[in-house]
Amino acid sequence: MKISKHKSVITLTTILAFLSSCAGSRMSSGGEVTGISAARWSDNAPYGMVLITPGSIVAGPQNGDSLWSTVNDSRGVSVDAFWMDETEVTNAKYRQFVHWVRDSIIRERLADPAYCGNEEFKITEDREGNPIKPHLNWNKPIPWRTADEDEQRVIDGMYRTNPITGIKELDPTQLNYRYEIYNNAEAVKRKNRRDPRTNEYSYIDAPLISKDTAYINDDGEIIRKKISRRLTSEYDFINTYIVNVFPDTTCWINDFENSMNEPYVRTYFANGNYDNHPVVGVSWEQANAYCNWRTEFLKRSSGANAGHVEPFRLPTEAEWEYAARAGKNDNVYPWNGNSTFAEDRGCFYANFKPNEGNYTRDGFVITSGVGSYNPNDFGLYDMAGNVSEWTSTAYTENLSRKTSDINPEYRYDASPDSPSHLKRKIVRGGSWKDVSHNIRSDIRMWEYQDGQRSYIGFRCVRSHIGFNGKK
């Protein structure tokens, strides 16, 4: 008992001393409320990205044009600071994503007892031997050249032999990327509060929610569904996606009837001569999967120093237009003026279709290498032409009337069985196949979210937190 009392005295004395110390520090402010600083984290410049400072712009066409059925739909909007890729995502960068998915599947199978059962490819304990959530060991190299019989069977299982050419090639049907996103925007809405005393309805114990889920069935098919049910927990705001990440290389044939584009099918994504060209044949869904992978890849590479990482994502339509026009209301293109080429120098400002049937006048038949033309005043390349770019914004009629004028965004994640009009997403900037009018920065176009086109690519953005006026 004496020892116990002694310990209690020591503990109480320590607490009183601590409180006295705290009181002293508070009293030193003269009894005034001086505030308690929150933790801060640095937002260093991401590789290959440009900081877009906050600003406002009159977005949309300010003048109607009956010839092009363009309606004056302009309005003032403001956007906060964000980082934006200075170029479109290239074949080389997207190929890194494809190869990562390939390697992750191989590692999973090498660790799976049904295949090889090599425990070294998966980490299940921390350094002290405590169990943790299992994850792949990327420090363990895949034995590409030293594989034993079982390991070689796993590696070969990711490839197929082309029945026509006899060439061994990567099997694109297996390249499925699974990821989860917590929909915080829905989770914090008042209508989705479980306590009826605080939700908008005041009489519903469990609001009705809708979430996306996905799984692979016994036939190896990806099944995606949108589930509607009563809210049970925070986990109901976790959406699961499984996306096949390989670009549609056949888009070069399917987008252009009766054309000799077959060489692009074989070479555009596979040949290193196109490494620096923008990736195409990538759907809105695949672009979102890439953004998620890029975020997780950065977190894993940063290890214990990752801290808080703002996710990579597709730009909103408002962010894209503000960035493309360099924040200038008078700019209908990413550059000053209404001309698409410099008359005094005879050179074009972008890669587009200058004349009917003449794609080469600007120097390129199809896409150009990213950064082939001068950047705009924000330091961004190819914001007009080359390839159109996905935005995160869903398309609907009268969109401007549905969204706020501060960081406007309209989002709807349609499932495969949703009506087609709910699958429309806004694309911006025009492409190598478009005439000058369609590469204007204030023109809105759309494509279905599962569409894979030879003229649509994307670039990523990241929100910049706590902008203080310094780059």
Side-chain angles (χ1 to χ4, degrees), residues 358-373:
N358 186 350
Y359 294 85
T360 62
R361 191 178 170 201
D362 59 11
F364 302 93
V365 178
I366 54 168
T367 62
S368 61
V370 297
S372 295
Y373 299 87

Side-chain angles (χ1 to χ4, degrees), residues 203-219:
Y203 58 87
I204 297 179
D205 291 329
L208 188 67
I209 59 95
S210 179
K211 63 173 292 183
D212 295 321
T213 187
Y215 62 91
I216 298 178
N217 66 14
D218 293 337
D219 296 325

Side-chain angles (χ1 to χ4, degrees), residues 98 101-102 104-106 109 115 153-160 169-178 216 220 222 242-246:
V98 171
V101 173
R102 176 201 64 185
S104 68
I105 294 172
I106 291 176
R109 293 176 180 175
Y115 289 88
R153 189 179 299 111
V154 167
I155 294 172
D156 290 343
M158 285 301 300
Y159 293 80
R160 68 179 184 184
E169 57 191 18
L170 191 61
D171 183 2
T173 63
Q174 299 187 56
L175 298 172
N176 300 321
Y177 176 70
R178 182 186 185 277
I216 298 178
I222 298 175
I242 300 177
V243 180
N244 185 277
V245 303
F246 201 81

Side-chain angles (χ1 to χ4, degrees), residues 133 177-184 211-215 234-243 288-289 291-293 295-296 299-300 311-312 411 413:
K133 183 179 179 180
Y177 176 70
R178 182 186 185 277
Y179 69 101
E180 294 180 338
I181 293 290
Y182 180 74
N183 192 340
N184 189 61
K211 63 173 292 183
D212 295 321
T213 187
Y215 62 91
E234 289 294 304
Y235 289 98
D236 284 334
F237 296 106
I238 295 179
N239 295 275
T240 303
Y241 302 97
I242 300 177
V243 180
N288 276 290
C291 291
N292 178 267
W293 165 78
T295 303
E296 296 303 315
K299 288 180 179 179
R300 276 188 289 265
F312 292 98
R411 178 124 188 173
D413 294 329

Side-chain angles (χ1 to χ4, degrees), residues 291-363:
C291 291
N292 178 267
W293 165 78
R294 187 173 174 183
T295 303
E296 296 303 315
F297 187 73
L298 176 61
K299 288 180 179 179
R300 276 188 289 265
S301 300
S302 301
N305 299 320
H308 178 87
V309 174
E310 277 297 303
F312 292 98
R313 55 181 175 82
L314 294 178
T316 67
E317 181 192 33
E319 289 173 331
W320 194 97
E321 183 172 341
Y322 174 73
R325 296 168 66 179
K328 298 178 182 177
N329 291 331
D330 295 334
N331 283 9
V332 295
Y333 292 106
W335 50 84
N336 297 326
N338 296 323
S339 177
T340 54
F341 67 99
E343 297 183 7
D344 57 335
R345 300 191 300 273
C347 60
F348 285 86
Y349 293 138
N351 177 16
F352 65 106
K353 182 181 177 182
N355 294 110
E356 183 67 27
N358 186 350
Y359 294 85
T360 62
R361 191 178 170 201
D362 59 11

